[in-house]
Amino acid sequence: MVRFAIFLLCYSLSVLSFGQITLLGDVDVSDYPNIAFSIKHSNPDVLSESIQVRQSIQDDFILASEINVVKTVANVSSENKCVLFLFEYSTHEDREEQYLTFYSALVKALPEIVKPGDEIKICSFSLKKPNNKFLHEVNEKFTDNTNDLIRSLNNNLVLTQSEWNKHRTSALYASIFEGVELLKNHPSVLPKSIVLLSEERNNNPTNLSNSTLSTDLARTNNISINTIKYNRAGTHQYSDATISAQSYGVAYELSPSRGNLFENSKKKSETIQILRDLFRDI
């Protein structure tokens, strides 16, 4: 009965938190019926009052009315992580500032934020390519070698116009879904997350018209999606908070700009600081 109750307790935690809870270590039942356990939740705003624990007593489910929670904040800055960068890649003249600013920010930030043992991969996206893929691998394998990452950016993320990247908009949701699948299939024990660098504006003719399939798959596989919206003038209405909110990620929005500069130094600095914060917390 003890094991059965604990199984249901752990199962309920996972289901009610959409798969974003990780049980750390074993459940301590030495003082049963009092039990002790530690959890890690991908959502930093979860309150102890919102955690529901159920136990089985004579086949009836009873919602615990009083739960004594000792809440601690662990220092996770030293933990390794598995991160997939999704870099929106448009060569349209209206999007060059975004491309150059995000590119420059990544080159500057990567040596600072990536730690030995991290697993980092960068993919670009716009519309579906001739190979029926939405993502283009900037670097081939997940790595913690920032020199290789920057070399791959320099070699594989240049402003070369093609049929699939010359438009103002991208296959946003289909690309996110492909990225979540890529992370899901990557064999890693590290916490997995996506950092999306984009304008969050979806190209209408694409197959997916919202984030639901992507965020459902992300929650099921404990993958958080964090977004950085570039926020060019006239695009604020395309911001999509569901991408991060439904996967327990974090949404950021850069200062608005007209988008007519070669590189926006203010937004570059904002992006670098956001990446620092993200890599400290995810």
Side-chain angles (χ1 to χ4, degrees):
M1 176 61 73
V2 173
R3 290 186 178 181
F4 184 54
I6 292 171
F7 169 78
L8 287 172
L9 177 148
C10 298
Y11 176 77
S12 297
L13 281 170
S14 299
V15 170
L16 292 169
S17 301
F18 303 105
Q20 297 302 298
I21 277 185
T22 301
L23 185 65
L24 303 177
D26 297 326
V27 178
D28 182 2
V29 295
S30 59
D31 190 28
Y32 187 82
N34 297 312
I35 64 174
F37 55 91
S38 297
I39 60 173
K40 176 182 177 181
H41 200 289
S42 298
N43 181 2
D45 297 324
V46 165
L47 302 175
S48 61
E49 291 81 2
S50 68
I51 297 177
Q52 297 180 349
V53 181
R54 296 175 184 268
Q55 64 176 347
S56 177
I57 301 178
Q58 295 180 349
D59 297 326
D60 291 327
F61 284 105
I62 299 177
L63 180 63
S65 58
E66 293 184 3
I67 304 174
N68 294 322
V69 178
V70 178
K71 190 173 183 180
T72 61
V73 179
N75 179 13
V76 299
S77 61
S78 61
E79 290 184 2
N80 287 122
K81 45 193 67 77
C82 176
V83 178
L84 173 64
F85 283 94
L86 295 184
F87 188 107
E88 186 176 26
Y89 178 49
S90 170
T91 60
H92 192 281
E93 60 182 7
D94 289 348
R95 307 296 296 282
E96 286 189 19
E97 180 190 294
Q98 174 186 319
Y99 160 82
L100 292 168
T101 302
F102 276 153
Y103 172 87
S104 181
L106 262 186
V107 170
K108 178 71 173 178
L110 284 171
E112 177 183 345
I113 62 178
V114 177
K115 295 181 173 63
D118 285 346
E119 298 175 6
I120 309 297
K121 187 176 180 68
I122 305 170
C123 289
S124 63
F125 70 93
S126 51
L127 297 181
K128 184 184 289 185
K129 303 196 301 297
N131 63 359
N132 288 323
K133 296 289 186 181
F134 292 97
L135 299 185
H136 171 73
E137 294 185 341
V138 175
N139 63 300
E140 183 179 356
K141 298 179 179 179
F142 285 84
T143 182
D144 61 358
N145 189 318
T146 55
N147 290 330
D148 286 349
L149 289 169
I150 293 173
R151 188 180 304 112
S152 296
L153 281 169
N154 292 334
N155 293 337
N156 301 320
L157 203 61
V158 294
L159 276 175
T160 303
Q161 192 172 90
S162 68
E163 285 298 317
W164 62 276
N165 66 24
K166 69 179 184 180
H167 304 277
R168 285 188 178 92
T169 55
S170 302
L172 177 70
Y173 300 121
S175 300
I176 295 172
F177 185 81
E178 197 169 293
V180 173
E181 283 199 314
L182 189 157
L183 265 185
K184 179 192 73 171
N185 295 327
H186 173 60
S188 176
V189 298
L190 299 179
K192 295 179 178 180
S193 60
I194 288 174
V195 176
L196 176 69
L197 305 167
S198 76
E199 193 59 271
E200 297 180 23
R201 184 178 181 182
N202 190 52
N203 186 277
N204 291 331
T206 58
N207 295 328
L208 295 183
S209 59
N210 58 57
S211 68
T212 301
L213 287 177
S214 300
T215 54
D216 286 351
L217 185 64
R219 286 198 307 268
T220 302
N221 291 276
N222 296 322
I223 297 170
S224 64
I225 306 173
N226 308 278
T227 62
I228 305 177
K229 176 178 169 60
Y230 192 74
N231 200 20
R232 183 179 182 273
T235 66
H236 179 79
Q237 68 270 29
Y238 297 106
S239 178
D240 187 349
T242 67
I243 300 170
S244 57
Q246 295 302 315
S247 64
Y248 296 124
V250 184
Y252 295 91
E253 189 172 285
L254 302 184
S255 300
S257 67
R258 295 179 62 185
N260 58 354
L261 300 178
F262 179 76
E263 178 186 303
N264 191 307
S265 58
K266 179 182 180 181
K267 298 177 89 162
K268 173 184 175 181
S269 297
E270 290 175 355
T271 303
I272 292 171
Q273 186 57 53
I274 289 170
L275 292 175
R276 289 172 181 150
D277 294 341
L278 275 175
F279 268 67
R280 184 188 64 236
D281 297 333
I282 58 178

